[in-house]
Amino acid sequence: MYVAIMGYGVVGSGVAEVLAKNHHSITKKSMQSELELKYILDIRDFPGDPNEKLMIKDFNIILNDDDVKVVVETMGGLHPAFEFVSACLKAGKSVVSSNKELVAAKGDELLKIAEEKNVNFLFEASVGGGIPIIRPLSQCLAANEIYEIYGILNGTTNFILTKMINEGLDFATVLRMAQENGYAEKDPTADIEGHDACRKICILASLIYGKHVYPDWVHTEGITKIDLADVEYAKNWGGVIKLIACAKEVDGEKLYAVVSPALVANTSQLSSVDDVFNAILVKGDATGDVVFYGRGAGKLPTASAIVADVIDCCRHTKEKKFFGWESCNENFVIDYLDAETSLYIRAKAEHPEDAVAEIQKTFGNVTLLSRKDAPAGEIAFVTDTDTERALRTKLDTLHILEPLSVLRIANC
Ligand code: HSE
């Protein structure tokens, strides 16, 4: 059986490397007499690369070659990835993709084409890099009602937060390190503004709840405004700040989904997930908590998930693996302000003692936080639980202080 790769960046070249390195065992596991990489599509030149002779620049060569049965898409971005992937599926080729932007935006359409054409569209690598999560959710945990899922789903931001917290390094330096390691997206805005984690929680939520959750429906905040003062207060509160993606069922028929930096208590299993590692905490009604942990980004971990999907495609040429979700409309996802949470608030006040009295009068029970060498007038506290709308309305009435930072407390 012949395979083609579209996109020879960090991940695509990792796929070629793994296919070559473990060629014998992969071929055996794929239950084919031979499994060969035939083409690599990329607009760039790679002089001296061991795969140079496989390089092509014309997509139609792959599309029109009937011997190519499995196509790996590691191009990233929506266009032309969407056009290429849908053309391959329509031509009767199975497609394996690591492209979370594509799956989050067009998953329902592509899964439908795959079903109509009786081919596979698999995307294990699109969430959690090398961590198995798509298959466990759709197969191993299928007996459960999954009522909540929390994830640290972006390796770059977790790497940045860990280095800032543990080594006191500044944001720009650590971002550069993440780029050098091949963790960050081409445009790292997608990482640091939370869009990448948003796409991933959309894929997981779509899979769990059977309805396509589009990224535009999910309230998303990034980590660029996190200050070392917040890190210190979080520590004194008994936790850490993590970029948390969360989705939970509301009243059995709606969904709450948010991506934002949040305070995570040290008692949570997610609090100790550091560096480029990702973790996903799944709460099922039969299993209770299940945690998936591993390298969420990087060349070989991601390639590992892709090649496993290629093997699966090769093994399922007659009986296709159908899993997926339906299209749905926006009111499936509730307004995040209507959900209950508690908030961490750091603020500045000219008269701190009066401000604390006002805070207690307005919010009732709050936990006041302190830190060493806090500048005069700085106040930090954690509220009790209420709807986010009620908490923010109360905060808006407190003219005696100027909020500097507002973060959710993740109940994971
Ligand atoms: N930029 C992504 C991350 C790559 O840092 O997690 C893996 O999807």
Side-chain angles (χ1 to χ4, degrees), residues 100 126 153-157 183-185 191 196 200 278 296-298 302:
K100 49 265 159 138
S126 64
L153 298 178
N154 182 268
T156 300
T157 44
Y183 305 150
E185 298 301 300
D191 295 298
D196 179 74
K200 292 167 177 168
N278 281 192
T302 312

Side-chain angles (χ1 to χ4, degrees), residues 75-148:
M75 304 161 68
L78 262 188
H79 304 288
F82 174 65
E83 289 73 17
F84 287 6
V85 169
S86 46
C88 287
L89 294 171
K90 283 175 187 164
K93 301 176 193 300
S94 286
V95 176
V96 173
S97 177
S98 61
N99 186 342
K100 49 265 159 138
E101 191 175 352
L102 177 70
V103 181
K106 301 281 187 188
D108 52 349
E109 282 178 59
L110 294 170
L111 284 160
K112 196 156 170 262
I113 302 172
E115 189 166 355
E116 281 163 9
K117 290 291 170 183
N118 202 27
V119 290
N120 289 300
F121 177 52
L122 302 181
F123 39 87
E124 182 64 65
S126 64
V127 183
I131 308 172
I133 184 66
I134 303 285
R135 256 180 210 73
L137 281 181
S138 57
Q139 293 174 13
C140 320
L141 295 173
N144 285 260
E145 290 296 325
I146 293 168
Y147 54 91
E148 243 171 2

Side-chain angles (χ1 to χ4, degrees), residues 221 225-231 233 241 261 263 343-348 378-381 392 395 401-408:
E221 297 167 23
K225 296 192 189 104
I226 299 296
D227 193 289
L228 285 175
D230 300 318
V231 169
Y233 280 120
I241 298 176
L263 268 67
L343 294 178
Y344 153 87
I345 297 165
R346 180 168 61 89
K348 200 167 81 181
E378 188 178 77
I379 299 170
F381 59 99
R392 288 191 183 265
L395 185 60
L401 49 83
E402 183 196 334
L404 300 173
S405 179
V406 180
L407 298 171
R408 294 174 190 84

Side-chain angles (χ1 to χ4, degrees), residues 202 212-219 257 328-334:
C202 286
H212 195 122
V213 178
Y214 292 93
D216 287 354
W217 301 352
V218 176
H219 176 77
C328 86
N329 61 32
E330 187 166 359
N331 63 20
F332 176 50
V333 178
I334 65 162

Side-chain angles (χ1 to χ4, degrees), residues 18-284:
V18 171
L19 282 172
K21 183 168 169 280
N22 299 338
H23 179 251
H24 180 68
S25 67
I26 290 168
T27 306
K28 199 166 159 213
K29 287 173 195 161
S30 72
M31 298 171 81
Q32 302 294 318
S33 52
E34 189 47 87
L35 183 68
E36 205 179 308
L37 179 58
K38 191 164 182 186
Y39 305 113
I40 297 173
L41 177 73
D42 204 294
I43 47 172
R44 298 164 292 181
D45 292 314
F46 295 88
D49 187 278
N51 291 307
E52 198 180 357
K53 63 180 187 315
L54 305 181
M55 297 289 172
I56 54 166
K57 290 189 181 356
D58 180 3
F59 166 66
N60 289 310
I61 297 175
I62 294 175
L63 187 64
N64 297 327
D65 187 334
D66 289 338
D67 290 338
V68 174
K69 301 286 186 212
V70 184
V71 179
V72 172
E73 186 272 307
T74 44
M75 304 161 68
L78 262 188
H79 304 288
F82 174 65
E83 289 73 17
F84 287 6
V85 169
S86 46
C88 287
L89 294 171
K90 283 175 187 164
K93 301 176 193 300
S94 286
V95 176
V96 173
S97 177
S98 61
N99 186 342
K100 49 265 159 138
E101 191 175 352
L102 177 70
V103 181
K106 301 281 187 188
D108 52 349
E109 282 178 59
L110 294 170
L111 284 160
K112 196 156 170 262
I113 302 172
E115 189 166 355
E116 281 163 9
K117 290 291 170 183
N118 202 27
V119 290
N120 289 300
F121 177 52
L122 302 181
F123 39 87
E124 182 64 65
S126 64
V127 183
I131 308 172
I133 184 66
I134 303 285
R135 256 180 210 73
L137 281 181
S138 57
Q139 293 174 13
C140 320
L141 295 173
N144 285 260
E145 290 296 325
I146 293 168
Y147 54 91
E148 243 171 2
I149 179 161
Y150 290 91
I152 293 175
L153 298 178
N154 182 268
T156 300
T157 44
N158 206 41
F159 181 77
I160 293 173
L161 287 172
T162 307
K163 295 277 177 210
M164 282 175 75
I165 294 168
N166 295 349
E167 296 172 34
L169 294 176
D170 68 273
F171 189 91
T173 308
V174 195
L175 175 59
R176 222 173 18 255
M177 286 163 76
Q179 286 174 308
E180 281 161 13
N181 284 325
Y183 305 150
E185 298 301 300
K186 258 184 242 158
D187 173 5
T189 317
D191 295 298
I192 60 184
E193 293 299 353
H195 305 306
D196 179 74
C198 173
R199 289 164 187 152
K200 292 167 177 168
I201 196 72
C202 286
I203 296 170
L204 298 182
S206 303
L207 198 59
I208 293 169
Y209 300 108
K211 293 182 179 175
H212 195 122
V213 178
Y214 292 93
D216 287 354
W217 301 352
V218 176
H219 176 77
T220 300
E221 297 167 23
I223 63 161
T224 49
K225 296 192 189 104
I226 299 296
D227 193 289
L228 285 175
D230 300 318
V231 169
E232 223 178 307
Y233 280 120
K235 195 170 167 197
N236 294 345
W237 170 77
V240 286
I241 298 176
K242 294 282 179 196
L243 183 69
I244 297 290
C246 160
K248 46 184 149 180
E249 207 179 59
V250 182
D251 301 331
E253 53 181 32
K254 298 259 183 183
L255 185 78
Y256 167 82
V258 162
V259 174
S260 72
L263 268 67
V264 176
N266 288 334
T267 47
S268 164
Q269 299 195 67
L270 297 189
S271 68
S272 54
V273 175
D274 283 340
D275 294 315
V276 73
F277 285 87
N278 281 192
I280 301 130
L281 167 63
V282 182
K283 292 173 181 267

